Amino acid sequence: MSALEAGGELPIEEGDTMKRVYLYPGQIVTSGQPLMVSTILGSCVSICLWDSAARVGGINHYLLPNNPLNGQSDLRYGNTAIERLIERLLALGVKKQRIVAKVIGGASILTSLGGARMSIGDQNVEVARKFLAKHGITVSGEQTGGTRGRKLLFHTGNGCVFSKEI
């Protein structure tokens, strides 16, 4: 069973052996079945969560760190997308203490306009670390920062993540 949360259905393509899903910004995918989820990240961040005992995985893709409108549920924002991803996994039988996370993205694509303000990418990564720590979720891998975007592949059936700069 797989779950999707966004403003519409994700296209799922039947491959030779595995379904593939492209994850757009502001979307979440959780699944107890093997799926190959792909996305492209710049300053955006994706968090891949995996419970090896339940064999359930989930991923989000958010653009900005915090939703300025309290009470709004908008998955384009890290604070909302992370909480919702965890909720969806718990609903599939995942135990929070078994979840491991991988954090990918958060590049500084645009050159700084001066000043000491953190880039959007850095802020997105900081929000990921903060919320995962708040929930006691261990980060087992991270590929963040830099000045180049990344292509990300996440296998929900085994928790493997592949990321390369583009």
Side-chain angles (χ1 to χ4, degrees), residues 49 82-83 86 95-101 128-140:
L49 299 181
I82 298 165
E83 293 291 341
I86 293 168
K95 301 293 182 208
K96 199 183 289 188
Q97 63 271 20
R98 296 189 312 229
I99 297 174
V100 293
R129 291 176 182 147
K130 174 184 162 189
F131 276 86
L132 293 170
K134 170 185 158 189
H135 286 281
I137 295 173
T138 301
V139 176
S140 66

Side-chain angles (χ1 to χ4, degrees), residues 2-114:
S2 65
L4 158 70
E5 190 160 324
E9 290 296 313
L10 284 178
I12 297 177
E13 304 167 14
E14 291 289 336
D16 291 335
T17 58
M18 182 179 303
K19 292 180 181 179
R20 291 174 291 175
V21 176
Y22 185 81
L23 183 68
Y24 290 94
Q27 293 183 322
I28 290 174
V29 172
T30 57
S31 181
Q33 300 297 317
L35 295 174
M36 183 61 70
V37 183
S38 64
T39 196
I40 302 292
L41 302 164
S43 59
C44 298
V45 165
S46 280
I47 298 174
C48 303
L49 299 181
W50 168 248
D51 177 342
S52 61
R55 302 199 60 79
V56 173
I59 180 173
N60 62 16
H61 180 159
Y62 62 89
L63 290 92
L64 296 168
N66 293 295
N67 191 343
L69 302 173
N70 292 332
Q72 294 256 335
S73 180
D74 190 335
L75 299 176
R76 295 175 299 167
Y77 297 98
N79 61 328
T80 306
I82 298 165
E83 293 291 341
R84 189 65 54 81
L85 176 59
I86 293 168
E87 289 170 8
R88 296 297 298 237
L89 288 173
L90 295 176
L92 291 174
V94 166
K95 301 293 182 208
K96 199 183 289 188
Q97 63 271 20
R98 296 189 312 229
I99 297 174
V100 293
K102 294 182 181 168
V103 180
I104 299 90
S108 296
I109 302 296
L110 302 175
T111 57
S112 175
L113 300 175

